[in-house]
């Protein structure tokens, strides 16, 4: 929507029309712009449930994207990216919410209201610059927990009141700040410090060598009771406010904490851009200029909603609230902080209690939102069906957005391109004039002073951004092939509930969050290690997993303990059921199969069960060669070495004294290294050999590689026309490698010496075919015949039009596609007889041993 300056004869008439039009938008604006908690958000405040942050979903970019995906994939959802971005703002965002101190929640009294300094700017945006509503938002798609989590992620405010944990949290922030600051900067207390503190994970307690994975704050066990005692907009008595206040409305990303509402507002503004004359907006102001106050000289400047929603909006707050109080020509821009946890972020503590009008999170969110807003129109031309979730996944990754050089990690390099100082200053000054008429300040400002402060704020931001995030630059391409492959697995976790939830929560969730849990992706199931009862049913949604497994469900679980015989029996049952489902769907599997066992430090396998477990495992490895048992255990690992295929690769120490990532990353890497299984869909029906062909489409980002494994069970018995084929569907080239010994065959573009244990071939328009008929001809026993390992590697570069992928299975819009075809894989009936015989023998053996030791 654009407003142009018409000829003088019609300008007055048009001005009246514009005022009337914007006034109608204001009266029809969504209820979030009103001076109260709207009815749609009352559910998040009418009891203390969500005031305990443990009852909210973790505040990170993956959770946020998953919630958006859930809406996008809901039944009968037919909104485009513009409609969804606008409705998200109008449905869930309300900035500046504070609690009335000393007021209890009673019938008819909700002690919360948008009284913070963030609200006036937000109100202008929703009512005048990003008009819309949330009438068509599918509320029933999300649960109350999901709706309120979205609200808290999108709504900006700062909780300034003392919590009682400052001696622990603030001291650690101060220590880390001192370590990170250059020596010269430590002697300039008026300037914001230089650093990129993102988590408290690496902080150390005084007098302790232990690194903590997270901080437990006693405030989280209390009802939400933060808020300023007076509406001083960031200024309060020092003894009333925390030294490390909590910032709300932010999410954790790998490239810095981001103000979510500002980000989405920028996207929404970019999808429906408009410029409005300043004098038009001033005419709509709730407070008119005084009798002796004239319109500012900048009254001819048009306010661009893309700037107002992002950097200019926050800079205007700095110019109006902070700078008049300091008497300085420069502003204190930026306020860094740290999360309570990298894995389950719920508390974001700021490192300072003054000058929080434009925090680091708001700078990142504003800059990201502005960059996206300036490019979104072009991207929609390339991809008309672009989804909001796809856009965010591409931007907050190394994938780049539709082949451009735009992504979160290079925001600093893009800053001077998309935010030139002259435009930023003009937009800040113009919007500050509007905000001055809506916000209650302690001072009265002239238009000239506002323009001067806006210039100072803009200059300060230009100087500050190059000093931010020195460790958050784009990652250099790694030579490690496993950085260019993605996980696709069916993960079953058997957790010994002797682990306390407070200790094990982050270690479990770190692994699960990196498993690519999503529709058409990996699945996760959580069971107890004692009786194999469910803690979290099989889920293809990380959000569902978080909701199923929490402190309450963990505490209510069956008795703690570790029973390997029970686990093995349950693993057989689970895999049998999984293969049955795949057979009915004519699926080739195409996920690895992982059993992750997490015994407590005191757990062990009873010596009476040793022989039984050994035989059972031998049986499983022969009949289900794709199954993998991995131990992530406390205590001494050697006690489990007899129960894994390879103790060197399948035993991992869960040391609660070590950082979460140090302990858990090797487990993630081990799971990632396991090739995806290709399994005959008829292997569980055993209806005799027959000609049977399956084909499935696969997706692969540029430069990535998929590893597959076909166990000998699928081609051991005699058969005819037994093969696997790969057919390229994208207009790109693929390198296909095969091996019988190397689990990860691939063409190494760096090494010039080819491997003698693999064969590689490049295909583009032609079809790759591999004959499976005689692979086990020289073997008499099935388990001695090695599997076939296969890799498919996509070329590294291509035009975005060559790899456009708009199907539901696509994780992003930029993925190559190929067809994987198998023909006449083994469906012999020998496996079923073996299965029944061994299961019967093992059960009898187990019962006999148990009776002997009664």
């Amino acid at each position: 929507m654009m407003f142009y300056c018409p000829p003088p004869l019609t300008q007055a008439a048009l001005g009246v029309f514009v005022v009337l039009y914007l006034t109608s938008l204001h009266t029809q604006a969504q209820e979030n712009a009103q001076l109260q908690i709207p009815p749609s958000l009352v559910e998040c405040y009418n009891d203390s449930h969500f005031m305990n942050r443990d009852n909210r979903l973790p505040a990170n970019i993956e959770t946020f994207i998953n919630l958006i995906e859930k809406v996008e994939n809901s039944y009968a959802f037919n909104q485009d990216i513009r409609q969804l971005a606008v409705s998200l703002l109008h449905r869930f965002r309300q900035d500046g919410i504070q609690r009335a101190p000393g007021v209890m929640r009673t019938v008819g009294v909700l002690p919360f209201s948008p009284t913070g300094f963030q609200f006036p700017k937000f109100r202008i945006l929703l009512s005048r610059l990003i008009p819309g509503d949330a009438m068509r938002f599918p509320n029933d798609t999300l649960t109350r927990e999901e709706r309120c989590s979205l609200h808290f992620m999108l709504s900006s405010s700062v909780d300034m009141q003392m919590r009682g944990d400052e001696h622990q949290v603030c001291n650690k922030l101060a220590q880390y700040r001192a370590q990170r600051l250059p020596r010269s900067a430590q002697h300039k207390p008026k300037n914001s410090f230089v650093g990129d503190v993102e988590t408290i994970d690496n902080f150390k307690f005084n007098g302790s060598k232990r690194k903590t994975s997270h901080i437990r704050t006693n405030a989280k066990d209390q009802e939400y009771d933060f808020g300023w005692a007076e509406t001083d907009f960031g200024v309060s008595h020092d003894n009333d406010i925390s030294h490390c206040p909590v910032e709300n409305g932010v999410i954790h990303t790998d490239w810095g904490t981001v103000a979510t509402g500002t980000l989405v507002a920028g996207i929404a503004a970019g999808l429906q851009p408009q410029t409005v004359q300043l004098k038009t907006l001033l005419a709509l102001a709730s407070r008119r200029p005084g009798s002796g106050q004239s319109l500012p000289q900048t009254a001819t400047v048009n306010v661009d909603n893309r700037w107002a929603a992002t950097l200019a909006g926050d800079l205007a707050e700095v110019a109006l609230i902070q700078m008049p109080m300091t008497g300085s020509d420069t502003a204190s821009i930026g306020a860094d902080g740290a999360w309570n946890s990298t894995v389950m972020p719920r508390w974001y503590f700021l490192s300072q209690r003054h000058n929080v009008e434009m925090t680091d999170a708001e700078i990142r969110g504003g800059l990201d939102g502005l960059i996206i807003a300036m490019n979104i129109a072009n991207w929609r031309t390339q991809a008309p069906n672009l989804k909001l979730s796809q856009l965010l996944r591409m931007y907050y990754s190394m994938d780049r957005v539709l082949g451009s050089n735009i992504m979160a990690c290079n925001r600093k390099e893009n800053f001077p391109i998309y935010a030139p100082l002259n435009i930023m200053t003009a937009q800040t000054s113009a919007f500050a004039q509007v905000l001055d008429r809506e916000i209650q300040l302690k001072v009265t400002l002239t238009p000239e002073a506002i323009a001067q402060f806006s210039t100072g704020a803009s200059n300060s931001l230009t100087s500050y951004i190059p000093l931010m995030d020195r460790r958050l630059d784009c990652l250099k391409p790694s030579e490690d092939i496993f950085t260019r492959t993605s996980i696709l697995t069916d993960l079953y976790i058997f957790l010994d509930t002797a682990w306390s939830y407070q200790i094990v929560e982050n270690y479990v969730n770190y692994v699960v969050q990196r498993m690519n849990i999503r529709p058409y992706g990996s699945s996760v199931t959580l069971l107890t290690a004692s009786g194999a009862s469910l803690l979290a049913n099989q889920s293809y949604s990380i959000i569902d997993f978080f909701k199923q497994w929490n402190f309450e469900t963990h505490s209510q679980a069956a008795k703690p303990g570790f029973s390997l015989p029970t686990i093995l029996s349950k693993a057989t049952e689970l895999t049998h059921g999984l293969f049955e489902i795949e057979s009915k769907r004519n699926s080739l599997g195409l996920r690895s199969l992982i059993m992750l066992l997490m015994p407590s430090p005191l757990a062990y396998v009873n010596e009476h069960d040793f022989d039984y477990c050994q035989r059972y495992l031998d049986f499983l490895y022969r009949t289900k060669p794709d199954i993998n048992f991995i131990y992530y255990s406390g205590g001494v690992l050697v006690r489990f070495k007899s129960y894994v295929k390879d103790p060197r690769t399948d035993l991992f120490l869960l040391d609660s004294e070590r950082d979460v990532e140090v302990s858990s990353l090797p487990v993630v890497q081990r799971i990632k290294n396991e090739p995806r299984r290709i399994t005959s869909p008829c292997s569980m029906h055993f209806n005799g050999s027959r000609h049977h062909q399956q084909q499935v489409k696969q997706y692969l980002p540029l430069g990535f590689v998929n590893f597959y494994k076909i166990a000998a069970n699928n081609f051991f018995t005699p058969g005819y026309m037994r093969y696997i084929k790969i057919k390229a569907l994208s207009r790109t080239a693929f390198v296909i490698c095969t091996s019988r010994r190397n689990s990860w065959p691939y063409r190494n573009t760096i090494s010039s010496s080819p491997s003698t244990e693999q064969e590689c071939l490049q295909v583009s328009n032609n079809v790759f075919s591999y004959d499976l008929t005689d692979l086990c001809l020289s073997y008499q026993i099935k388990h001695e015949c090695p599997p076939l390992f296969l890799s498919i590697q996509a070329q590294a570069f291509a035009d975005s039009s060559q790899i456009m992928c708009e199907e539901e299975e696509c994780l992003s819009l930029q993925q190559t596609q190929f067809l994987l075809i198998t023909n006449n894989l083994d469906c012999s009936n020998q496996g079923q007889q073996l299965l029944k015989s061994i299961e019967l023998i093992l059960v009898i053996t187990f019962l006999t041993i148990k009776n002997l030791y009664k």
Side-chain angles (χ1 to χ4, degrees):
M1 184 184 303
M2 304 288 291
F3 291 95
Y4 299 96
C5 296
L9 291 177
T10 61
Q11 187 167 354
L14 181 62
V16 173
F17 169 76
V18 171
V19 171
L20 292 174
Y21 174 71
L22 290 176
T23 303
S24 69
L25 288 179
H26 176 70
T27 58
Q28 297 172 16
Q30 215 274 340
E31 55 190 7
N32 291 26
Q34 308 306 313
L35 292 167
Q36 59 201 9
I37 302 294
S40 60
L41 297 179
V42 167
E43 64 178 349
C44 304
Y45 296 92
N46 58 5
D47 59 44
S48 61
H49 182 74
F50 291 112
M51 300 304 102
N52 181 348
R53 298 187 185 223
D54 275 344
N55 293 325
R56 305 178 193 174
L57 295 172
N60 55 39
I61 186 65
E62 192 61 29
T63 302
F64 184 64
I65 292 175
N66 272 271
L67 288 169
I68 293 174
E69 278 183 324
K70 185 173 183 180
V71 174
E72 292 172 335
N73 297 332
S74 62
Y75 177 74
F77 181 79
N78 61 354
Q79 298 182 35
D80 61 16
I81 184 175
R82 181 193 65 82
Q83 294 168 316
L84 178 57
V86 172
S87 64
L88 278 173
L89 288 178
H90 285 266
R91 172 61 180 85
F92 295 106
R93 184 181 178 187
Q94 188 177 54
D95 290 352
I97 295 177
Q98 300 292 323
R99 175 161 188 168
V103 180
M104 299 298 294
R105 185 187 291 105
T106 58
V107 177
V109 177
L110 195 66
F112 299 92
S113 183
T115 57
F117 72 83
Q118 301 89 349
F119 181 74
K121 178 193 71 177
F122 164 76
R123 189 181 191 187
I124 294 171
L125 291 177
L126 251 64
S127 60
R128 301 170 196 171
L129 295 175
I130 311 178
D133 57 53
M135 299 297 292
R136 295 182 58 218
F137 187 86
N139 288 292
D140 294 339
T141 298
L142 303 176
T143 65
R144 182 191 175 205
E145 179 180 358
E146 293 166 343
R147 292 193 298 268
C148 290
S149 294
L150 263 181
H151 162 61
F152 291 119
M153 289 182 196
L154 285 165
S155 303
S156 175
S157 65
V158 179
D159 297 328
M160 304 293 287
Q161 189 168 322
M162 293 285 288
R163 300 180 304 274
D165 60 6
E166 281 76 8
H167 67 286
Q168 181 183 20
V169 177
C170 302
N171 288 343
K172 294 178 72 176
L173 279 167
Q175 292 169 19
Y176 197 61
R177 174 181 176 180
Q179 295 170 11
R180 296 294 306 280
L181 274 173
R183 187 175 300 274
S184 59
Q186 296 181 28
H187 300 287
K188 298 179 181 180
K190 290 185 178 180
N191 294 336
S192 296
F193 74 95
V194 179
D196 56 335
V197 185
E198 277 302 312
T199 65
I200 309 185
D201 291 38
N202 295 323
F203 295 175
K204 295 182 179 180
F205 285 112
N206 289 332
S208 172
K209 296 182 180 180
R210 172 183 174 183
K211 286 187 176 181
T212 61
S213 62
H214 59 281
I215 276 198
R216 289 283 166 183
T217 167
N218 64 356
K220 73 188 301 182
D221 297 323
Q222 303 170 359
E223 185 174 335
Y224 183 104
D225 195 22
F226 304 150
W228 293 314
E230 51 187 348
T231 56
D232 281 354
F233 298 144
V235 180
S236 182
H237 304 294
D238 286 353
N239 60 348
D240 292 337
I241 63 176
S242 172
H243 285 270
C244 49
V246 175
E247 184 175 9
N248 298 314
V250 296
I251 57 175
H252 179 268
T253 80
D254 289 340
W255 287 277
T257 299
V258 171
T260 327
T262 306
L263 167 68
V264 176
I267 296 173
L271 290 164
Q272 55 179 44
Q274 65 171 335
T275 56
V276 183
Q277 282 192 350
L278 176 57
K279 61 175 62 178
T280 301
L281 291 173
L282 292 176
L284 293 169
S286 58
R287 179 169 57 85
R288 307 299 183 190
S291 58
Q293 191 173 5
S294 60
L295 286 175
Q297 294 294 319
T298 54
T300 58
V301 176
N302 292 337
V303 174
D304 187 328
N305 69 338
R306 297 172 298 181
W307 278 95
T310 56
L311 294 181
D314 288 323
L315 285 171
E317 292 176 336
V318 174
L320 296 178
I321 299 171
Q322 178 192 136
M323 297 193 68
M325 309 300 293
T326 63
S328 172
D329 292 334
T330 59
S332 179
I333 296 290
D336 217 325
W339 288 96
N340 66 306
S341 166
T342 53
V343 183
M344 301 294 283
R346 292 190 174 101
W347 296 80
Y348 187 67
F349 303 100
L350 291 176
S351 58
Q352 62 196 62
R353 58 178 175 174
H354 296 299
N355 301 328
V356 296
E357 294 82 12
M358 193 173 192
T359 66
D360 279 23
E362 289 177 313
I363 294 173
R364 296 189 195 99
L367 185 51
D368 291 350
L370 181 64
I371 292 171
I372 294 174
M374 296 300 182
N375 289 277
I376 189 69
N378 180 51
W379 292 333
R380 289 198 75 190
T381 301
Q382 298 179 56
N385 297 321
L386 176 65
K387 296 180 179 180
L388 181 57
S389 62
Q390 293 172 330
L391 171 63
L392 293 174
R393 280 198 191 281
M394 289 186 287
Y395 187 82
Y396 289 99
S397 70
M398 295 298 294
D399 291 345
R400 303 180 300 167
V401 180
L402 295 179
S404 67
N405 193 36
I406 296 175
M407 44 191 170
C409 64
N410 63 4
R411 62 167 71 95
K412 287 198 300 183
E413 289 72 18
N414 285 321
F415 169 61
I417 299 174
Y418 295 101
L421 179 59
N422 61 327
I423 298 178
M424 181 164 62
T425 301
Q427 286 294 320
T428 299
S429 179
F431 187 75
Q433 306 285 350
V434 179
L435 183 59
D436 177 55
R437 305 290 178 87
E438 300 290 345
I439 191 171
Q440 182 62 55
L441 300 172
K442 289 187 172 182
V443 296
T444 300
L445 302 174
T446 65
E448 291 73 23
I450 293 175
Q452 178 183 348
F453 292 145
S454 298
T455 300
S458 300
N459 288 334
S460 297
L461 179 63
T462 302
S463 301
Y464 182 76
I465 285 183
L467 304 177
M468 290 179 61
D469 302 337
R470 291 177 172 177
R471 298 190 305 171
L472 299 179
D473 295 330
C474 297
L475 302 175
K476 294 181 179 179
S478 173
E479 297 179 5
D480 184 0
I481 188 63
F482 292 110
T483 64
R484 289 178 279 133
T485 186
S486 58
I487 296 177
L488 206 60
T489 186
D490 288 307
L491 175 65
Y492 299 90
I493 303 174
F494 292 87
L495 176 64
D496 186 349
T497 52
W499 287 108
S500 73
Y501 182 79
Q502 288 84 353
I503 290 178
V504 80
E505 173 194 17
N506 282 352
Y507 293 89
V508 172
N509 285 324
Y510 183 96
V511 174
V512 172
Q513 288 175 5
R514 287 153 182 80
M515 290 296 105
N516 189 25
I517 308 296
R518 61 179 181 85
Y520 307 107
S522 301
S523 73
V524 60
T525 308
L526 182 64
L527 309 98
T528 64
S530 57
S533 57
L534 280 172
L535 288 171
N537 209 344
Q538 186 177 38
S539 177
Y540 292 87
S541 166
I542 191 71
I543 297 173
D544 289 343
F545 178 80
F546 290 147
K547 290 191 295 184
Q548 290 185 74
W549 183 59
N550 49 50
F551 177 81
E552 184 177 352
T553 57
H554 184 90
S555 303
Q556 295 174 352
K559 65 177 183 178
F562 181 83
S563 172
L564 186 56
T566 302
I567 292 173
L568 296 179
S569 176
K570 189 66 174 182
T572 304
E573 176 188 332
L574 291 169
T575 53
H576 187 85
L578 177 65
F579 291 167
E580 281 285 355
I581 293 174
E582 291 176 351
S583 182
K584 292 176 182 178
R585 295 176 179 174
N586 201 30
S587 169
L588 292 171
L590 303 176
R591 296 183 178 91
S592 62
L593 185 55
I594 306 293
M595 304 289 165
L596 181 63
L597 280 55
M598 299 185 65
S600 68
L602 300 179
Y604 63 95
V605 179
N606 193 305
E607 62 179 343
H608 304 154
D609 298 327
F610 179 82
D611 288 338
Y612 171 80
C613 292
Q614 287 286 303
R615 294 178 185 179
Y616 207 137
L617 283 167
D618 182 64
F619 150 70
L620 282 176
Y621 291 147
R622 289 171 184 262
T623 58
K624 296 181 175 64
D626 295 309
I627 195 169
N628 297 272
F629 288 89
I630 300 173
Y631 285 77
Y632 188 23
S633 169
V636 181
L637 293 177
V638 69
R639 68 193 194 276
F640 297 116
K641 70 174 185 178
S642 300
Y643 308 107
V644 293
K645 292 179 181 178
D646 188 345
R648 297 169 300 177
T649 60
D650 295 338
L651 297 178
F652 299 92
L653 178 63
L654 196 166
D655 184 356
S656 59
E657 296 294 311
R658 293 195 299 174
D659 183 78
V660 173
E661 185 172 25
V662 173
S663 290
S664 302
L665 185 58
V667 179
V668 174
Q669 191 62 53
R670 167 64 183 89
I671 298 173
K672 194 173 189 178
N673 291 356
E674 188 62 30
R676 306 177 185 186
R677 60 185 172 86
I678 297 178
T679 308
S680 169
C682 55
S683 61
M684 290 304 296
H685 285 310
F686 306 103
N687 293 324
S689 297
R690 67 179 187 275
H691 183 81
H692 197 80
Q693 185 177 98
Q694 299 86 29
Q695 63 180 31
V696 62
K697 189 180 292 186
Q698 294 282 272
Y699 306 89
L700 193 58
L702 286 174
F704 271 56
V705 57
N706 285 351
F707 293 102
Y708 300 91
K709 170 187 172 184
I710 310 178
N713 296 42
N714 296 280
F715 51 76
F716 182 78
T717 59
Y720 67 98
M721 293 293 292
R722 181 172 291 160
Y723 58 78
I724 182 170
K725 289 184 177 181
I726 308 297
K727 181 180 180 180
L729 298 178
S730 302
R731 291 182 288 124
T732 54
F734 296 90
V735 174
I736 302 173
C737 299
T738 57
S739 176
R740 301 297 302 281
R741 301 296 177 188
N742 181 7
S743 302
W744 311 288
Y746 74 98
R747 177 175 292 177
N748 190 339
T749 57
I750 300 175
S751 174
S752 58
S753 56
S755 172
T756 57
E757 294 188 342
Q758 67 180 37
E759 295 180 353
C760 295
L761 180 68
Q762 180 171 309
V763 299
S764 52
N765 296 327
N766 53 329
V767 177
F768 171 87
S769 182
Y770 193 96
D771 187 11
L772 304 173
T773 305
D774 298 328
L775 291 186
C776 292
L777 197 61
S778 58
Y779 297 92
Q780 301 298 318
I781 302 175
K782 183 182 297 185
H783 70 268
E784 293 180 352
C785 179
L788 172 67
F789 298 102
L790 172 76
S791 75
I792 303 170
Q793 187 173 353
Q795 68 184 54
F797 302 99
D799 186 84
S800 59
S801 62
Q802 295 178 273
I803 55 172
M804 193 63 67
C805 186
E806 296 185 327
E807 301 174 21
E808 290 185 359
E809 294 87 347
C810 301
L811 185 60
S812 74
L813 285 173
Q814 297 176 281
Q815 287 191 301
T816 63
Q817 303 173 54
F818 60 89
L819 206 59
L820 192 154
I821 306 168
T822 64
N823 192 74
N824 198 25
L825 293 185
D826 193 355
C827 293
S828 65
N829 60 6
Q830 297 175 8
Q832 180 70 11
Q833 296 171 359
L834 178 66
L835 174 64
K836 291 182 178 180
S837 300
I838 295 184
E839 281 185 333
L840 179 60
I841 293 172
L842 288 172
V843 170
I844 295 174
T845 304
F846 178 63
L847 293 175
T848 302
I849 293 175
K850 288 295 184 182
N851 289 330
L852 287 174
Y853 290 95
K854 280 187 176 180

